[in-house]
Amino acid sequence: MVGKFMFVLFVVTIFQFYSSPVSANPSIITGYDPMEVCIENCAQCKKMLGAWFEGQLCAESCIKYRGKMIPDCENYASISPFLNKL
């Protein structure tokens, strides 16, 4: 009886270990941080578009949304909130 109880306890423990949620970023050779990519893209767009692009606002949105909305300088939809009319 004790053997069956130990076996069930072992199985439950293993199940809990493998079913626990893990929070991790995908790993490329040097690692991947979406917030870092987002801020770098903001800087690149600022270099490309100059005064037309609000780089500070872009970087603040990267921090606010934790890099989930990465701007693409060649995609108008992704940078439209950061463009100004001068």
Side-chain angles (χ1 to χ4, degrees):
M1 186 71 180
V2 174
K4 288 182 182 180
F5 177 74
M6 292 301 289
F7 178 74
V8 170
L9 184 62
F10 176 74
V11 170
V12 169
T13 304
I14 295 298
F15 179 74
Q16 286 178 345
F17 177 75
Y18 282 112
S19 66
S20 63
V22 176
S23 175
N25 289 330
S27 179
I28 304 175
I29 294 173
T30 59
Y32 171 76
D33 183 17
M35 193 177 316
E36 182 179 340
V37 172
C38 184
I39 292 174
E40 287 176 0
N41 282 10
C42 290
Q44 182 65 31
C45 292
K46 181 66 178 174
K47 287 179 187 176
M48 287 176 61
L49 301 172
W52 295 96
F53 188 77
E54 296 287 338
Q56 178 75 25
L57 182 61
C58 180
E60 288 172 358
S61 74
C62 288
I63 294 168
K64 181 179 179 181
Y65 297 112
R66 297 183 185 146
K68 292 193 187 336
M69 299 170 52
I70 297 175
D72 180 4
C73 304
E74 296 176 358
N75 182 355
Y76 178 75
S78 70
I79 63 170
S80 63
F82 314 116
L83 295 176
N84 62 29
K85 295 180 182 179
L86 281 179

